[in-house]
Amino acid sequence: MADPALATLDNATARRLFLDRHGLLRRPAGPGKGDDLAQVIDQLGFVQVDSINTLARAHDHILFARRPAYRPRALELLIERDRRMFENWTHDAAVIPMGFYPHWKHRFDRRRAKLVDGWSQRTGTDMATEAARVKDIIARDGAQTTRTIDAGRPQNGGGWWDWAPSKAAMEVLWQTGELAICHRQNFSKAYDLAERVIPADAREAQIPRDASINWAAMGALDRLGFATPTELARFWDLFSIAEMSDWAQSARRDTRVAEVAVIGRDKAPRISLMRPTWEEDIANLPAPLPRLRILSPFDPVIRDRARLSRLFGFDYRIEVFTPAAKRVYGYYVFPILEGIRFTGRIDLKANRATSTLHIQGYWPEPGVKLGQGRMAALAAELERLMRFAGLAHLTIDPGPKTELLRAAPARLALG
């Protein structure tokens, strides 16, 4: 139970603040390239990179949701030409502003021994020796992909559990900052020496650990709006929960943060940290737009499923079973956000051979009706997504998973 003396943040306002920090409360406008795109990524902190491409690559869809004018080439230019972004890890592979690179050195140091030991066991190879061999090849011959590094040598299978030693070595060197991704070829990573990719000022900067912990904590707090120490630690995955808890105790003492009872969708309070200026920040929030947006399953708003459920009452633990009964998670099921609530999920798949977007399923949240206004908003968002993905036609698959859409009084226009 929350301390009755604590200030309280009501649920609707908490959702507004959370969505605003993720660039989803205001009108999605802007050129989606250059400085504007860099600002979007900075606001988010990072953008997860993933190869899933049922509609668009995850990172591209995330950025499109905030800037409809965005096109993938704009991100490539920021990374490969301008070197304003770099690729590495947070909770997963991500595109990260280059200005943050010095803080990642602490992660490189923390992960080095664990990665070398782990991959030595998995591959049955002395990974330190293999990494040195791979690094020498790249230093001599230039950037390499996992296919070119040992061209002509027998390779293992493609799963992470059966990687060739050279592929594992490149991953270790990348995650520990000795290599960097200089570009991608058909989404395959090309690795080069970090000193050939990362600008000298970012590479040479030295930031004390305590200063980086404070930067990570305050940066995560600004991007989440409110958070527990555990949520702060998991945002960047740079420092441990214990370190973030110690930081939180110090930050409370010197009033860098305030404690607030944030009310969940179920009316239960959760003690969270906020900026001391939180009341002023909330007073400056705009009213939410009623716009409907179909988000990527990898969108940062969706990432923390427990937080999503607590704030929005939206359970996104979707599982899809293949015909072979192997379980895969709902990479093809896209959450639907309207204003400050999630109203359902839609299963979409692009057939690029026929330039068609297939709706394979639709599941509204309880109490959500498919009136003419909602159908018009859904149609407009599907049209935007089709233009982004370069598709010309829309179909609704037959069957029980789409019955609600097909039975709605207002129909989607089919191309």
Side-chain angles (χ1 to χ4, degrees):
M1 181 177 295
D3 183 343
L6 283 180
T8 298
L9 181 63
D10 68 88
N11 180 252
T13 305
R15 284 182 282 141
R16 284 174 59 209
L17 178 62
F18 182 61
L19 291 173
D20 186 62
R21 292 297 184 263
H22 286 79
L24 292 172
L25 190 67
R26 303 165 194 257
R27 187 174 302 281
K33 59 184 177 181
D35 289 343
D36 179 63
L37 182 60
Q39 187 276 328
V40 172
I41 300 172
D42 187 277
Q43 178 184 358
L44 295 174
F46 57 87
V47 174
Q48 183 175 342
V49 176
D50 198 276
S51 61
I52 295 295
N53 197 20
T54 53
L55 176 60
R57 303 252 187 233
H59 43 286
D60 292 326
H61 191 168
I62 290 167
L63 294 170
F64 170 79
R66 290 146 177 89
R67 291 294 187 273
Y70 165 80
R71 293 299 180 267
R73 179 60 178 160
L75 182 60
E76 292 176 6
L77 292 174
L78 283 183
I79 299 170
E80 299 175 11
R81 185 191 68 185
D82 303 334
R83 300 299 186 206
R84 296 179 66 176
M85 303 287 154
F86 70 101
E87 289 193 48
N88 212 274
W89 278 72
T90 54
H91 69 294
D92 211 323
V95 172
I96 307 162
M98 188 64 75
F100 300 173
Y101 187 86
H103 301 288
W104 257 251
K105 293 181 181 180
H106 300 293
R107 190 181 204 278
F108 298 157
D109 293 340
R110 175 170 62 89
R111 295 280 292 165
R112 185 169 285 107
K114 183 177 181 180
L115 286 167
V116 169
D117 291 345
W119 282 110
S120 293
Q121 294 175 18
R122 289 178 186 174
T123 61
T125 303
D126 181 339
M127 191 48 59
T129 300
E130 178 66 8
R133 184 187 74 86
V134 166
K135 189 174 180 181
D136 285 345
I137 292 173
I138 292 173
R140 182 189 68 222
D141 298 338
Q144 302 287 321
T145 68
T146 55
R147 293 183 179 179
T148 64
I149 188 71
D150 279 329
R153 277 192 176 190
Q155 299 292 313
N156 295 341
W160 68 264
W161 61 92
D162 196 23
W163 280 7
S166 59
K167 181 175 182 178
M170 294 172 89
E171 186 75 9
V172 169
L173 290 165
W174 172 50
Q175 289 200 40
T176 56
E178 296 186 61
L179 297 182
I181 296 172
C182 55
H183 62 275
R184 286 180 177 263
Q185 298 173 353
N186 298 323
F187 204 68
S188 295
K189 298 188 288 283
Y191 302 86
D192 204 347
L193 299 180
E195 54 262 37
R196 295 174 182 164
V197 178
I198 306 300
D201 56 347
R203 196 177 66 253
E204 295 170 3
Q206 300 293 329
I207 299 179
R209 189 175 187 84
D210 287 350
S212 274
I213 290 173
N214 185 67
W215 172 88
M218 289 307 234
L221 192 59
D222 287 341
R223 290 166 177 84
L224 293 170
F226 47 88
T228 65
T230 296
E231 290 169 334
L232 294 178
R234 289 176 176 168
F235 183 82
W236 308 104
D237 195 24
L238 289 176
F239 302 103
S240 69
I241 294 173
E243 287 175 303
M244 208 54 72
S245 295
D246 289 343
W247 173 87
Q249 290 183 14
S250 173
R252 290 188 196 99
R253 285 195 299 268
D254 61 22
T255 65
R256 275 174 286 163
V257 296
E259 284 191 328
V260 178
V262 179
I263 307 301
R265 191 68 170 167
D266 62 357
K267 297 182 170 42
R270 184 180 180 87
I271 307 304
S272 298
L273 304 175
M274 297 186 72
R275 285 275 191 175
T277 57
W278 65 274
E279 291 176 298
E280 180 181 346
D281 296 339
I282 286 168
N284 291 325
L285 287 177
L289 293 172
R291 181 185 178 120
L292 182 150
R293 305 190 216 210
I294 297 173
L295 301 180
S296 164
F298 297 90
D299 197 280
V301 164
I302 305 299
R303 169 188 162 195
D304 186 338
R305 303 291 198 261
R307 186 182 180 99
L308 185 71
S309 177
R310 188 169 63 250
L311 277 181
F312 295 90
F314 185 65
D315 189 349
Y316 193 61
R317 293 177 299 173
I318 290 179
E319 294 178 342
V320 177
F321 291 84
T322 67
K326 293 180 180 179
R327 180 182 297 180
V328 295
Y329 291 101
Y331 293 142
Y332 314 115
V333 182
F334 298 79
I336 302 173
L337 175 67
E338 294 182 57
I340 61 170
R341 68 172 181 150
F342 287 88
T343 60
R345 309 158 180 81
I346 190 165
D347 187 350
L348 301 173
K349 186 174 179 64
N351 184 329
R352 291 175 175 82
T354 61
S355 192
T356 301
L357 179 62
H358 296 280
I359 301 177
Q360 302 182 134
Y362 171 75
W363 302 270
E365 286 292 276
V368 172
K369 305 298 183 184
L370 282 174
Q372 290 188 352
R374 179 163 284 121
M375 286 293 281
L378 178 60
E381 177 69 352
L382 288 168
E383 184 178 353
R384 287 188 287 266
L385 283 170
M386 288 169 64
R387 286 199 301 268
F388 178 62
L391 304 173
H393 310 291
L394 178 69
T395 65
I396 302 177
D397 291 356
K401 292 193 296 182
T402 59
E403 184 177 357
L404 287 175
L405 275 182
R406 289 182 287 108
R411 299 295 302 276
L412 292 173
L414 304 181

